[in-house]
Amino acid sequence: MAEKLNIDQIRADFPVLHQQVNKAPLIYFDNAATTQKPKAVIDALQHYYELDNANIHRGLHTLAERATTAYELTRKKLATFLNAPSTDQIIFTSGTTAGINLVAQTFGRANIEKGDQIIVSNLEHHSNIVPWQMIAQEKGAEIKVIPVSDEGVLDIEAFKALLNSKVKLVAVNHVSNAIGTINPIVEIIALAHAVGAKVLIDGAQSVAHLAVDVQALDLDFFVFSAHKLFGPTGVGVLYGKRDLLEAMPPYQGGGEMIKEVSFAGTTYNELPYKFEAGTPNIADVIALGAALDYLQAIPADALAAQEEALLAYATEKLQVIPGLKIVGTAPEKIAVISFMVNGVHPQDIGVLLDKFGIAIRTGHHCAQPLMERYGLVGTCRASFSFYNTFEEIDRFVLCLEKTLQMLQ
Amino acid sequence: MGQPINEIQEELIEEFGLFEDWADKYEYLIDLGKKLAPMTDAFKTEENVIKGCQSRVWLHAEKQGDLVVFQADSEAIIVKGMISMLIRVLSNHTPAEILASDLYFIDQIGMSQHLAQTRSNGLVSMVKQMQHYALAFS
Ligand SMILES: Cc1ncc(COP(=O)(O)O)c(C=O)c1O
């Protein structure tokens, strides 16, 4: 039995949660879009700008040294967080989207040729579809799609049938943002590797909920955004295997990413700097370090237990609402519930719940191919984090019932 | 000649003034949405769609004599309620009247958020499109 979290104490760490929205206490159930930030993260930002602000890596002075140390410390923390073999394999980007585009434009450009194939799944966020379509179109490669069942589970038999030596890359998410399915990435990676394909895992939705060990998983590429991990917006992380990263051509050119520049020819810097052109997002990277510290101070099993309990409780309570159907009922799910109600447009539900102070997400969740698969214009999505409470779920269900009464 | 645009706006402000809390206001808005005159099916075409991020709006306009007549529909009922008010205010007016109009009632009845949520529901584009039609017909 996992140790229980002291939720009141945890909630006290998140200033944003303590406010009234439309004259009601805020209930924040849009954690899959972005998580809230603990005070420690906000303080780290303020501390940096008030005391340490300097450009990193190039300065000799004390502030530059402090800023550089703090910035590089986050890289170390991330290497530990992901169990990466070295800090050089942790590359800072501006987000998941930027990380995927980086891999598409470097690894993709160097390795994908006419007639090759890239496999994505029907569960992907547009960020993990469009960059591949762009490079496929440019190179004359093909995109193949792993189908998804009515429950929201990827069809692994169909995936096996898609695999062949022309497949250069498989890009799937660890967890679906739209319906919460946890995908069997261990199996996907092993199957892809067996035909010589590399794998990019989009971890945007998993890092806040599941432990990721890049070595145990034999990951080629792993990307995520800090802002979905209680950190600030504008920072993302790309992990890659060393040989892959070293063989990849640089992405953007500029300062930081070079060793020597001359008009006769320029040499590029080593990992990870080869992929970090220009002044990076120093403050937010440092604050991501504070987010990791915060998260790691909470027992992981207690955190998982809280989220699991919230998911089970909300699922049970929502199911009894007449006409409500949960979209995505995979046995392996994180604490995300997508649902629709017969004859009611999701947008109407979202607008009225907001009037009750409740933040959920409505729409296609940047996963239009998945919505198309289910014949839906969109869903309502409630996504929980460990700082959410059972009382919030009670009030959410009550307000949803009132909302539906108004609409039906 | 129909009722002046501002007179209709004042009427709406008065109607909404009767409600104390938001729930009553929204119930009335939803009711207006339900009562919106159905759009002729033949006009619910791809060309008449105004794409919002989350719900679609259809808008059709035609000139009847000197007046512009609008028909519209949406998938979402709250948007439909808004549409119903916009049609009540702007339809059956001359292009000049429509172009000169200032839709202050939306703010006064406390519904401006539905026009501020850029692109998400198609309403902002719909209002613009109504003005474009008026311009085209003038
Ligand atoms: C699964 C998934 N992939 C990619 C993204 C894009 O992340 P970002 O917008 O932070 O780049 C998201 C964000 O919603 C996501 O949930």
Side-chain angles (χ1 to χ4, degrees):
Chain A
M1 186 61 209
E3 185 189 335
K4 259 193 119 82
L5 296 180
N6 182 342
I7 299 298
D8 286 342
Q9 201 179 324
I10 282 176
R11 290 179 69 83
D13 296 333
F14 290 83
V16 85
L17 297 177
H18 308 281
Q19 65 177 297
Q20 303 270 309
V21 166
N22 294 321
K23 302 196 180 101
L26 166 68
I27 293 182
Y28 187 77
F29 284 171
D30 196 15
N31 292 287
T34 197
T35 54
Q36 297 301 346
K37 320 306 170 200
K39 185 78 167 47
V41 168
I42 301 163
D43 287 348
L45 283 170
Q46 188 166 358
H47 177 97
Y48 170 74
Y49 282 122
E50 285 185 357
L51 294 162
D52 297 340
N53 177 52
N55 209 333
I56 56 170
H57 294 146
R58 288 166 284 210
L60 293 173
H61 55 78
T62 305
L63 261 56
E65 180 136 354
R66 267 195 233 142
T68 305
T69 306
Y71 179 85
E72 291 300 332
L73 184 59
T74 298
R75 207 189 300 273
K76 279 199 195 113
K77 287 174 184 169
L78 281 163
T80 308
F81 180 68
L82 297 173
N83 191 32
S86 81
T87 53
D88 307 348
Q89 288 160 264
I90 303 292
I91 291 153
F92 290 118
T93 65
S94 66
T96 307
T97 305
I100 296 171
N101 278 283
L102 189 158
V103 176
Q105 292 301 318
T106 57
F107 173 84
R109 170 149 298 137
N111 294 286
I112 291 162
E113 286 162 16
K114 194 171 162 55
D116 282 345
Q117 295 176 350
I118 300 168
I119 296 180
V120 299
S121 89
N122 204 165
L123 277 177
E124 298 313 306
H125 187 281
H126 296 164
S127 288
N128 203 21
I129 300 174
V130 184
W132 306 117
Q133 287 177 324
M134 287 164 68
I135 195 75
Q137 195 172 26
E138 189 186 313
K139 296 283 188 169
E142 252 185 304
I143 303 280
K144 299 281 182 180
V145 183
I146 311 171
V148 63
S149 73
D150 290 346
E151 293 72 36
V153 178
L154 290 184
D155 182 341
I156 293 299
E157 288 311 311
F159 174 54
K160 286 180 189 160
L162 287 175
L163 286 167
N164 67 76
S165 60
K166 283 195 245 165
V167 178
K168 290 289 144 66
L169 190 94
V170 176
V172 293
N173 55 36
H174 192 176
V175 169
S176 153
N177 67 305
I179 58 173
T181 307
I182 302 173
N183 290 316
I185 61 168
V186 174
E187 205 178 344
I188 290 172
I189 292 167
L191 288 166
H193 284 172
V195 298
K198 301 300 175 198
V199 181
L200 176 137
I201 297 295
D202 169 355
Q205 293 296 335
S206 64
V207 279
H209 308 282
L210 307 170
V212 173
D213 179 331
V214 294
Q215 294 187 76
L217 288 165
D218 197 18
L219 278 169
D220 297 313
F221 297 109
F222 187 72
V223 290
F224 66 91
S225 303
H227 73 91
K228 293 182 199 280
L229 187 65
F230 314 100
T233 52
V235 176
V237 174
L238 161 65
Y239 161 83
K241 275 196 186 139
R242 178 178 292 280
D243 57 334
L244 295 174
L245 293 174
E246 277 179 348
M248 273 152 54
Y251 181 38
Q252 289 170 325
E256 290 272 328
M257 58 76 71
I258 45 87
K259 196 176 264 160
E260 271 178 89
V261 177
S262 97
F263 289 115
T266 289
T267 49
Y268 302 120
N269 206 339
E270 279 151 20
L271 291 176
Y273 308 109
K274 175 170 123 183
F275 294 110
E276 293 180 4
T279 300
N281 188 348
I282 305 164
D284 292 312
V285 164
I286 292 170
L288 167 60
L292 292 172
D293 291 343
Y294 180 84
L295 195 59
Q296 281 168 337
I298 303 172
D301 51 350
L303 192 154
Q306 166 76 1
E307 291 187 354
E308 239 168 72
L310 289 170
L311 175 66
Y313 186 69
T315 304
E316 191 188 311
K317 292 213 92 176
L318 284 174
Q319 263 163 353
V320 299
I321 295 180
L324 185 145
K325 183 170 165 271
I326 292 180
V327 182
T329 50
E332 298 287 327
K333 266 182 81 169
I334 57 152
V336 164
I337 301 179
S338 235
F339 63 92
M340 44 161 287
V341 182
N342 262 344
V344 182
H345 197 283
Q347 183 177 295
D348 288 323
I349 295 176
V351 167
L352 293 182
L353 284 178
D354 174 59
K355 289 279 153 197
F356 286 106
I358 301 172
I360 62 157
R361 180 56 58 120
T362 61
H364 54 57
H365 315 295
C366 296
Q368 281 180 328
L370 183 64
M371 296 298 126
E372 200 181 305
R373 159 71 177 83
Y374 292 138
L376 299 171
V377 291
T379 68
C380 301
R381 182 188 70 189
S383 52
F384 311 112
S385 187
F386 57 86
Y387 45 61
N388 290 126
T389 67
F390 297 93
E391 294 73 39
E392 286 181 320
I393 290 173
D394 286 339
R395 197 158 76 76
F396 161 61
V397 172
L398 192 75
C399 293
L400 178 60
E401 282 169 336
K402 283 191 201 164
T403 290
L404 295 174
Q405 263 165 28
M406 286 174 73
L407 290 168
Q408 281 164 336
Chain B
M1 255 328 280
Q3 206 182 354
I5 284 177
N6 285 0
E7 214 170 273
I8 307 172
Q9 298 204 71
E10 292 302 328
E11 257 177 32
L12 278 164
I13 292 165
E14 205 178 301
E15 285 165 30
F16 274 83
L18 299 172
F19 306 119
E20 301 247 312
D21 74 1
W22 71 264
D24 295 334
K25 242 190 228 181
Y26 273 78
E27 259 164 16
Y28 186 62
L29 185 66
I30 290 162
D31 210 43
L32 290 178
K34 287 182 180 156
K35 288 186 187 138
L36 174 68
M39 189 173 190
T40 312
D41 273 340
F43 297 148
K44 281 179 90 167
T45 60
E46 208 40 47
E47 287 110 79
N48 282 341
V49 166
I50 295 168
K51 283 218 170 76
C53 188
Q54 298 203 6
S55 57
R56 286 180 298 179
V57 168
W58 290 267
L59 174 69
H60 171 78
E62 61 191 33
K63 192 110 181 253
Q64 294 183 1
D66 289 337
L67 306 178
V68 186
V69 177
F70 294 108
Q71 285 190 35
D73 199 0
S74 167
E75 299 164 322
I77 194 73
I78 291 170
V79 173
K80 236 168 129 165
M82 295 293 293
I83 287 175
S84 143
M85 294 194 290
L86 287 165
I87 288 188
R88 181 164 149 201
V89 171
L90 293 178
S91 196
N92 281 304
H93 289 95
T94 65
E97 286 167 332
I98 295 167
L99 287 168
S101 67
D102 164 25
L103 299 173
Y104 61 86
F105 81 98
I106 296 169
D107 198 30
Q108 295 222 353
I109 64 171
M111 292 291 165
S112 50
Q113 69 170 110
H114 298 295
L115 278 135
Q117 291 172 345
T118 325
R119 282 195 321 127
S120 76
N121 59 19
L123 276 173
V124 180
S125 315
M126 171 171 162
V127 172
K128 267 200 202 123
Q129 194 57 34
M130 290 172 111
Q131 303 271 352
H132 284 162
Y133 275 123
L135 195 64
F137 287 137
S138 61

